[in-house]
Amino acid sequence: GRGEEALTYYKRGLDIVSGLPADAQNNTLKANLNAALGRVYAAQGNQAEAERYTSALLASSVELPPLVRADGLTRQARVQESRGDVAAARAALEEALQLRRQALGDNDIVVAQSQGELAALLNRQGLNDEAEPLHRAALALRERLNPEDPGIAGHLNELAIWHMSRKEYAEAEPLLARA
């Protein structure tokens, strides 16, 4: 909850590491500092700075932990979509989902959130038939992990809209009622 203070320390750390001779730099630490700066700026809504540090993170030569790379790819996808590069955003979200599945399996809410983010992008592009299985998978995972999860309602709503677009009103009605 103290983002500005955290930014000061993360920036100072990055300045210190970057100021060392190239052969003495700890590239893993540098990547982690870029990841932290990107995450904090994104949380503050400062997308330009978040993009700057996320780009540095993803361009680093360090083998990133899968979940760190997945988070960076997700932030990058948001920027790419806002710039109209939907294909790149989709590729980044697909890679992020794959990394999260490999690291966590299909038993973690983070995987459901990643499925939902990719599905939402597809929905915004009118690719509802491609989004539908992702919504179903995220819904099933959320229901299994926590039947009281409020995120369930969003997936139920999206699936109902999908059925309505196909004029399958009888299938849509119970989903809307549950949502």
Side-chain angles (χ1 to χ4, degrees), residues 10-121:
Y10 287 141
K11 285 179 187 177
R12 180 73 180 122
L14 187 58
D15 288 344
I16 291 169
V17 172
S18 297
L20 295 172
D23 62 336
Q25 288 186 10
N26 181 328
N27 289 326
T28 301
L29 177 57
K30 196 173 183 178
N32 285 328
L33 289 165
N34 279 314
L37 285 160
R39 190 173 45 252
V40 173
Y41 277 120
Q44 291 180 337
N46 187 337
Q47 295 310 316
E49 287 298 302
E51 178 187 4
R52 176 177 156 212
Y53 291 104
T54 298
S55 293
L57 167 71
L58 295 174
S60 75
S61 61
V62 173
E63 173 104 14
L64 299 172
L67 295 177
V68 171
R69 179 162 175 77
D71 289 346
L73 286 165
T74 300
R75 284 192 304 276
Q76 182 182 51
R78 291 179 189 134
V79 171
Q80 290 167 325
E81 183 185 11
S82 73
R83 290 184 174 159
D85 192 353
V86 178
R90 179 179 180 170
L93 289 176
E94 286 171 344
E95 183 181 347
L97 175 57
Q98 180 183 20
L99 288 167
R100 289 179 176 125
R101 278 185 173 146
Q102 289 170 351
L104 302 169
D106 277 329
N107 289 311
D108 195 288
I109 193 67
V110 174
V111 173
Q113 291 166 341
S114 194
Q115 290 168 326
E117 186 134 17
L118 177 55
L121 172 76

Side-chain angles (χ1 to χ4, degrees), residues 111-145:
V111 173
Q113 291 166 341
S114 194
Q115 290 168 326
E117 186 134 17
L118 177 55
L121 172 76
L122 294 171
N123 284 137
R124 288 189 295 274
Q125 299 308 309
L127 302 171
N128 300 328
D129 288 345
E130 292 182 52
E132 182 265 341
L134 289 164
H135 282 299
R136 287 199 190 282
L139 173 63
L141 180 53
R142 285 178 181 273
E143 287 178 324
R144 188 171 71 246
L145 294 174

